[in-house]
Amino acid sequence: MTATFTTTPYASRGMRHRRPRRSLVPFLVPLVIWAGAAGVLALWWSDTNSVVGPAAWLTGAGRITGLLAGYACAVLLALMARMPLLDHTVGTDRLARWHAWGGRCTVFLALAHTLLIIWGYSLTSHTNVVSQTSTLVLHYPDLLKGTAGFLLFLATGILSARAARRRMSYETWHYLHFATYLAVFLTFGHQLSNGADFVGNRLAQAAWYTLFLGVAAVVAWYRFAVPVRRGLRHRLRVAAVHPEAPGVVSVYFTGRHLDELGGEPGQFLRWRFLARGLWWTANPYSLSAPAHPDHLRITVKTAGGHSAALARLSPGTRVWAEGPYGAFTADRRTAPKVLLLAGGVGITPLRTLFETLPGQVTLIYRARRREDLALRGELDAIAARRGATVHYIVDEPAGHSPPLTARALSTLVPDLAAHDVYLCGPPGMTEAAISALREAGVPARRIHHESFAF
């Protein structure tokens, strides 16, 4: 049967309400990207005198799509370079969605560029497309490498499609994306060697080199140099592994200068455990307690192969942590009242926010069984200390999930529309909760969630 039970709070202690910082970066980034695309189109326009006849139209369209595909490659790499300015304001999940959408557009642009150029050139030279393709690939400078890069980029795009992603592990998908670095490197040369907009145009060449070298420097620094430097600086080690609920464990870490990591409640890090079978990948796990100068903690559901192996970690195991990442923090709050809505192990980032968010805070925590309520003792203690309310909702052996509807949520939180809502849980629950919250009158701008699904 469905069970609902509530922790009754003590009188509120009146935690100080801090005005959240609002950043313009999430609004400026798309404007900068589109302005760059407009600049690319202006480059084509300035170098094009007239377009007459089918061959010229096809070739011109091929030039435009090629320029935009090249520019999009630089944008895609920059979005996922893990720059703190973008990650802490735009949010990792939103950047990932932009990257995924942009990746699909880039594949289509590159494919269109290839087909249009071959077709346009074949009409100009009065040859068939097979002969023209052979001539381009084998006799044009850097185009053999460019073809290899295009095929690699196309294969990565196909394997990143949703249907293919379901059949591969996170680690495989993650390392597959490193192939895009090689693809961009292989295709870069042919743009300058063969692109009509670059040949003889020193200013355009300088701008293109600046764009790609700048992005390469950002990627090298934030994706590689910073993690290595922090790994050597902080010397993180596993201190203990503690079971919290069936299939859920907390991993405690010690290290040096941990206050310099600057992790805020709600953020996550990418953890690389230097143990057999784990060292080759870095997986994202949220902090499940506020960062402390001497120790850190994550709480993980042992579902996949990587997370299940964490339960068997030995104390003393070396760890490299990249981050902190994410914008799922107090800075997103816009109202003094906050609802935290957690499902399963989604409680981990919300537990830190529950302890630290100022103002009136209510927590709703859903789990399948009562024993699956991880960290419940800590949540009850926080609720008592700060005068907050916790609603625990569990579906005991019958297997019928409690309804996640606007009416049910409004019953638990009567003035729901006046709240900011922080939401973290499985994808199905997240989608249902967003629909219910919107139906209950909560504006979309006040519903905050971060998804770590790849």
Side-chain angles (χ1 to χ4, degrees):
M1 64 177 181
T2 296
T4 304
F5 45 103
T6 302
T7 292
T8 303
Y10 292 92
S12 175
R13 304 292 179 87
M15 295 182 69
R16 179 177 296 179
H17 177 78
R18 179 173 62 89
R19 183 183 296 274
R21 299 187 299 270
R22 305 299 294 171
S23 174
L24 294 176
V25 175
F27 306 99
L28 292 177
V29 170
L31 293 178
V32 171
I33 292 173
W34 287 112
V40 169
L41 293 176
L43 172 63
W44 171 83
W45 181 266
S46 65
D47 198 50
T48 302
N49 296 323
S50 62
V51 181
V52 179
W57 279 103
L58 290 170
T59 304
R63 286 169 54 198
I64 293 173
T65 52
L67 286 170
L68 290 174
Y71 170 71
C73 286
V75 172
L76 291 179
L77 294 179
L79 288 177
M80 300 309 290
R82 299 178 187 169
M83 290 182 284
L85 176 64
L86 297 183
D87 203 274
H88 296 173
T89 54
V90 178
T92 305
D93 62 330
R94 191 188 301 182
L95 290 172
R97 288 194 296 270
W98 290 356
H99 176 84
W101 180 84
R104 290 190 289 270
C105 291
T106 305
V107 170
F108 285 122
L109 285 170
L111 184 59
H113 163 70
T114 302
L115 297 178
L116 289 168
I117 286 293
I118 292 173
W119 193 3
Y121 278 30
S122 66
L123 290 179
T124 301
S125 60
H126 305 287
T127 59
N128 61 66
V129 293
V130 174
S131 175
Q132 187 61 54
T133 300
S134 176
T135 300
L136 288 171
V137 172
L138 298 178
H139 300 290
Y140 276 60
D142 294 316
L143 207 52
L144 184 60
K145 291 191 298 182
T147 301
F150 164 70
L151 294 175
L152 185 59
F153 197 80
L154 186 62
T156 303
I158 293 172
L159 292 175
S160 297
R162 184 172 300 177
R165 290 205 311 262
R166 295 194 186 103
R167 293 175 171 82
M168 67 178 72
S169 66
Y170 170 84
E171 293 79 13
T172 301
W173 172 86
H174 177 74
Y175 277 97
L176 175 67
H177 271 59
F178 280 114
T180 58
Y181 294 144
L182 178 59
V184 172
F185 173 77
L186 290 172
T187 57
F188 178 77
H190 99 277
Q191 298 175 67
L192 300 179
S193 300
N194 302 296
D197 302 284
F198 294 108
V199 175
N201 189 336
R202 293 295 181 87
L203 183 60
Q205 292 177 14
W208 215 244
Y209 269 113
T210 301
L211 173 64
F212 277 86
L213 290 177
V215 170
V218 169
V219 169
W221 178 253
Y222 287 113
R223 295 290 301 256
F224 299 99
V226 169
V228 170
R229 181 174 63 87
R230 286 184 173 175
L232 298 174
R233 171 71 171 167
H234 299 299
R235 296 187 177 275
L236 279 167
R237 293 183 181 274
V238 173
V241 179
H242 179 70
E244 301 287 359
V248 178
V249 298
S250 285
V251 183
Y252 294 79
F253 307 94
T254 58
R256 304 188 310 179
H257 314 292
L258 299 186
D259 54 315
E260 297 176 5
L261 281 173
E264 295 186 37
Q267 290 188 312
F268 69 95
L269 294 91
R270 298 180 186 274
W271 305 86
R272 186 182 303 275
F273 298 89
L274 304 187
R276 184 176 181 180
L278 298 176
W279 63 268
W280 64 288
T281 184
N283 282 30
Y285 298 115
S286 297
L287 294 172
S288 61
H292 188 275
D294 298 322
H295 56 81
L296 302 172
R297 186 186 75 179
I298 61 174
T299 301
V300 180
K301 183 177 179 63
T302 57
H306 186 278
S307 57
L310 302 190
R312 302 187 296 272
L313 284 172
S314 301
T317 300
R318 287 289 305 273
V319 184
W320 284 21
E322 305 173 27
Y325 300 118
F328 195 60
T329 65
D331 288 335
R332 284 192 174 183
R333 195 188 76 255
T334 61
K337 297 180 179 180
V338 176
L339 168 64
L340 307 177
L341 181 53
V345 78
I347 190 62
T348 52
L350 297 186
R351 182 255 179 255
T352 60
L353 290 169
F354 189 46
E355 180 176 349
T356 58
L357 273 175
Q360 179 181 322
V361 181
T362 301
L363 171 64
I364 299 177
Y365 184 9
R366 296 166 52 90
R368 186 175 300 276
R369 302 170 300 172
R370 187 185 295 254
E371 56 267 32
D372 292 330
L373 295 168
L375 308 175
R376 185 185 171 190
E378 296 181 17
L379 298 173
D380 289 341
I382 294 169
R385 185 168 62 250
R386 65 171 297 165
T389 300
V390 183
H391 298 286
Y392 296 106
I393 302 176
V394 297
D395 181 13
E396 301 211 323
H400 299 291
S401 297
L404 191 56
T405 62
R407 182 177 180 180
L409 291 174
S410 297
T411 300
L412 294 174
V413 188
D415 55 345
L416 180 58
H419 285 66
D420 269 295
V421 181
Y422 287 76
L423 171 64
C424 190
M429 176 213 159
T430 300
E431 294 174 4
I434 292 174
S435 298
L437 291 166
R438 294 302 309 278
E439 184 181 345
V442 181
R445 68 180 184 277
R446 288 187 177 177
I447 302 174
H448 316 298
H449 65 97
E450 260 188 350
S451 171
F452 305 114
F454 67 92

